[in-house]
Amino acid sequence: MTTRLITKQGVLVGARRKTKNDFEYDDFLNIPYAKPPVGELRFKNPQPPEPWLGERDATVYNESNLCIQYDIFKQKNRGSEDCLYVNVSTPKVPAAGLLALLPVMVFIHGGGFVFGNGLAKFENGPDYLIEHNVVIVTMNYRLSAYGFLSLDIPEASGNMGLKDQVMALRWVQENIEHFGGNKNDVTIFGISAGAASVEFLMISPLTRGLFHRAILQSGSALNPWALDSPDNIRNHTLKLAQELHYQGPLNDYRAIHNYLMNVPAEYIKLAANKATNPSQVKGVYFGFGPTIEKDFGNGEAFLTENPYELLKSGKFTKVPVMRGFTDSEGFIEAGTKPQDVKEVTTFKNYMDFWRYPLSTSDATYYNEKLRQAYDSYTGNDIERPAIDFFGEFDFVSGVIASSKLLVKHGVPLYLYEFTYDGSLNLLKALNGVNKTGAAHGDDTAYTIQIEPVPMLTQDDVIVRNRISKLWTNFAKTANPTPTTSPLLPLLWPPYSSSEQFYMVIDKDMSIRAKYADERMQIFEEILDKYHR
């Protein structure tokens, strides 16, 4: 069965679908939210979408409209440059204005800003959340060099992938009422690089009024992998040109830009990986990503100041926030760079992994403090202190430091730790880690349906239902537990500078305070002194 509706750009034909619980919804796939960034528009900031004539088939997605990438999880090349599309799933298209408009949840995928998508239906299923009567939007945004190279010129300014996200949110403002969504009730949520994106959207001057609540799963703009220096991004771009056999002067950015505009897209993808060489960089690192841009005075710059400074000074969009991390974020390092875990376990030279240089005396001082903090572990897994270090260095410390800055400026904030180890912990399985705990990103498949769905235990179903209820409660009321119920037996206290409460999400719920306080203070001290 199909459903028709009229958007600002033209008529869409979507499909009526059912969840496994027989909840019916209308699904509209592969909707353009910007002009395809191809030809003359390669590397440029996104442009508004063109209208189309007649009816557009939105019942299927097109694999070639994923953003061009090497998909690390699928281990294959996917997509093309023509990739600025959204999917919209709605419990009911409005009939003659009789239906109240529903809250909207916009999902931003992870993948280190170099892979991932929001388009492939079976990797971005709305099923768990939509049953709570919310409208779900998922999006693509340009990745790797296509979305994040920079030559310090307006035609290749950097952060294009983040500007794509802004364009998608503008599209939501202009169109979501046609799908039964309330444009004044938009929650943005994301995982990993998607969570860092949410925080970047909070601190960007381009996003005022585009969203009203934010959920961040295992990511922050303060994480070391989330922001690269302008020098690094520019040097990566110059190396990219050299990998592609550019032989002109390296200080002629216009000539480099003109050269790159004529290189086939596939070649850029391969060269971007060689230019950034992420496998040879210590710690979690993906390659091209967000940076601080040059301001050309055209009103299009996404980020021109340091994220830490913006958060500290209160220069950000103040909306209610729910965010968290998992208890074993560092499994990502154990799975992708086991040599790093071995190195820290053997030598305990923690400061070797910092992305920016510290003074010699500070490096010695803080390394000793970290050794003392992680040496207090008394369990049997000799790798555990190193895994905890990477989890906290790369993810948790940024999440908590940022949370403290947000609440200082009056932002209502709910913090969680996801500790459940169940059948939907897909990232741990993909990383091949055979240890107990929830890996980085392991809460993803409890919010977004990723197929094939494995056989679930009763506890898996309870945790999945609990998370979808918490997430949609927050999207509707800015409070994950407005009331208690058998599924949500505890009221979740907000995080504050003094109490620092956080909710532990497992097969049972519990409340703790001041996560690893001693270790967090070391990370925060370094961040405050040396942030870049």
Side-chain angles (χ1 to χ4, degrees):
M1 192 171 150
T2 57
T3 307
R4 279 169 180 70
L5 60 77
I6 301 170
T7 68
K8 199 174 169 190
Q9 280 74 44
V11 179
L12 287 172
V13 180
R16 170 60 58 91
R17 304 196 201 279
K18 274 185 187 177
T19 68
K20 290 202 168 57
N21 294 329
D22 285 336
F23 183 93
E24 288 195 343
Y25 65 96
D26 291 309
D27 215 18
F28 298 87
L29 309 178
N30 234 96
I31 310 166
Y33 69 80
K35 279 184 193 162
V38 299
E40 285 301 304
L41 296 182
R42 176 187 279 181
F43 307 135
K44 288 192 176 62
N45 295 336
Q47 304 297 308
E50 300 273 18
W52 57 82
L53 294 171
E55 295 182 341
R56 181 181 172 92
D57 181 6
T59 61
V60 291
Y61 83 92
N62 186 340
E63 178 76 14
S64 72
N65 292 139
L66 272 60
C67 288
I68 186 167
Q69 61 186 274
Y70 177 74
D71 187 326
I72 294 165
F73 290 152
K74 300 273 184 195
Q75 298 198 326
K76 65 177 184 180
N77 294 311
R78 301 177 82 180
S80 71
E81 285 185 278
D82 176 7
C83 68
L84 300 185
Y85 297 86
V86 291
N87 293 346
V88 182
S89 306
T90 176
K92 199 80 181 95
V93 168
L98 296 175
L99 275 168
L101 295 173
L102 299 172
V104 180
M105 297 183 74
V106 180
F107 179 64
I108 304 174
H109 71 78
F113 300 105
V114 298
F115 76 103
N117 75 85
L119 201 65
K121 170 72 182 166
F122 304 108
E123 297 159 44
N124 293 279
D127 304 42
Y128 310 148
L129 298 172
I130 205 163
E131 291 180 350
H132 297 273
N133 277 312
V134 291
V135 175
I136 304 295
V137 181
T138 59
M139 67 166 85
N140 283 344
Y141 53 93
R142 280 174 284 177
L143 302 166
S144 185
Y146 313 94
F148 295 97
L149 66 64
S150 172
L151 287 164
D152 283 347
I153 57 174
E155 297 82 3
S157 57
N159 294 338
M160 293 80 72
L162 293 170
K163 293 166 193 169
D164 294 341
Q165 296 173 12
V166 176
M167 184 64 85
L169 290 172
R170 287 180 183 147
W171 182 92
V172 167
Q173 287 297 303
E174 291 180 358
N175 288 284
I176 207 65
E177 286 187 2
H178 301 301
F179 299 85
N182 184 349
K183 68 177 186 179
N184 299 313
D185 196 1
V186 175
T187 298
I188 54 175
F189 72 117
I191 170 73
S192 191
S197 295
V198 168
E199 195 150 80
F200 281 124
L201 291 164
M202 289 176 69
I203 60 178
S204 172
L206 300 184
T207 61
R208 302 292 180 260
L210 296 182
F211 59 91
H212 312 92
R213 288 183 259 292
I215 300 173
L216 301 83
Q217 300 170 226
S218 294
S220 166
L222 302 185
N223 291 147
W225 50 267
L227 183 77
D228 217 337
S229 69
D231 285 349
N232 273 359
I233 293 292
R234 193 169 48 253
N235 289 338
H236 289 334
T237 307
L238 301 182
K239 273 190 196 158
L240 173 77
Q242 289 174 304
E243 286 287 344
L244 292 163
H245 311 298
Y246 169 79
Q247 291 173 341
L250 287 176
N251 59 356
D252 189 343
Y253 296 160
R254 292 265 168 211
I256 293 169
H257 174 257
N258 291 340
Y259 184 83
L260 292 176
M261 289 292 283
N262 293 300
V263 174
E266 280 295 319
Y267 294 175
I268 291 174
K269 178 184 69 194
L270 296 168
N273 196 52
K274 286 184 184 170
T276 57
N277 206 2
S279 64
Q280 296 307 306
V281 177
K282 283 177 181 264
V284 173
Y285 182 71
F286 301 100
F288 282 102
T291 192
I292 296 168
E293 288 165 66
K294 196 169 177 179
D295 192 347
F296 297 103
N298 56 10
E300 294 182 8
F302 181 91
L303 184 71
T304 58
E305 295 176 67
N306 184 281
Y308 185 83
E309 295 292 341
L310 291 168
L311 290 167
K312 195 174 181 181
S313 60
K315 288 166 73 175
F316 58 86
T317 298
K318 296 170 185 69
V319 295
V321 166
M322 185 174 92
R323 72 186 319 174
F325 49 88
T326 69
D327 67 349
S328 300
E329 296 277 357
F331 283 169
I332 187 175
E333 198 69 5
T336 58
K337 292 182 179 171
Q339 70 275 17
D340 287 353
V341 173
K342 195 171 181 180
E343 183 182 326
V344 167
T345 301
T346 308
F347 301 109
K348 301 182 183 176
N349 288 333
Y350 299 100
M351 302 315 295
D352 288 356
F353 290 83
W354 252 257
R355 286 274 161 18
Y356 40 84
L358 280 67
S359 72
T360 309
S361 59
D362 272 356
T364 306
Y365 170 72
Y366 286 119
N367 203 72
E368 190 50 42
K369 287 197 84 165
L370 288 166
R371 280 183 178 181
Q372 289 169 12
Y374 287 104
D375 277 355
S376 62
Y377 172 77
T378 55
N380 298 324
D381 182 356
I382 60 163
E383 290 186 339
R384 191 72 217 188
I387 287 168
D388 285 345
F389 164 71
F390 283 113
E392 290 168 357
F393 170 64
D394 281 312
F395 299 100
V396 185
S397 62
V399 170
I400 288 182
S402 159
S403 298
K404 288 177 180 173
L405 297 174
L406 293 176
V407 297
K408 268 185 189 160
H409 291 284
V411 169
L413 189 141
Y414 296 88
L415 185 70
Y416 72 84
E417 180 184 26
F418 179 77
T419 61
Y420 182 67
D421 192 349
S423 311
L424 290 170
N425 291 43
L426 301 185
L427 273 288
K428 185 166 85 166
L430 281 164
N431 278 319
V433 174
N434 191 20
K435 296 175 187 276
T436 303
H440 173 67
D442 265 352
D443 48 352
T444 311
Y446 294 85
T447 52
I448 298 293
Q449 181 169 291
I450 301 169
E451 297 189 40
V453 177
M455 284 289 292
L456 303 183
T457 66
Q458 193 175 352
D459 284 342
D460 294 335
V461 174
I462 288 168
V463 173
R464 187 190 68 192
N465 292 348
R466 177 172 289 146
I467 284 181
S468 57
K469 186 67 175 164
L470 289 166
W471 267 231
T472 51
N473 275 349
F474 181 80
K476 292 172 184 178
T477 69
N479 183 343
T481 54
T483 56
T484 57
S485 66
L487 192 61
L488 307 177
L490 292 178
L491 290 177
W492 185 339
Y495 186 84
S496 67
S497 302
S498 51
E499 280 110 347
Q500 298 176 36
F501 288 124
Y502 62 98
M503 179 70 79
V504 177
I505 301 175
D506 207 319
K507 72 178 176 202
D508 298 308
M509 294 169 75
S510 58
I511 294 159
R512 293 183 195 154
K514 296 191 175 175
Y515 172 90
D517 203 33
E518 179 198 359
R519 301 200 295 265
M520 292 304 104
Q521 285 183 31
I522 302 169
F523 288 111
E524 285 160 34
E525 222 175 279
I526 299 169
L527 185 62
D528 191 57
K529 193 169 181 180
Y530 284 99
H531 61 271
R532 42 156 206 187

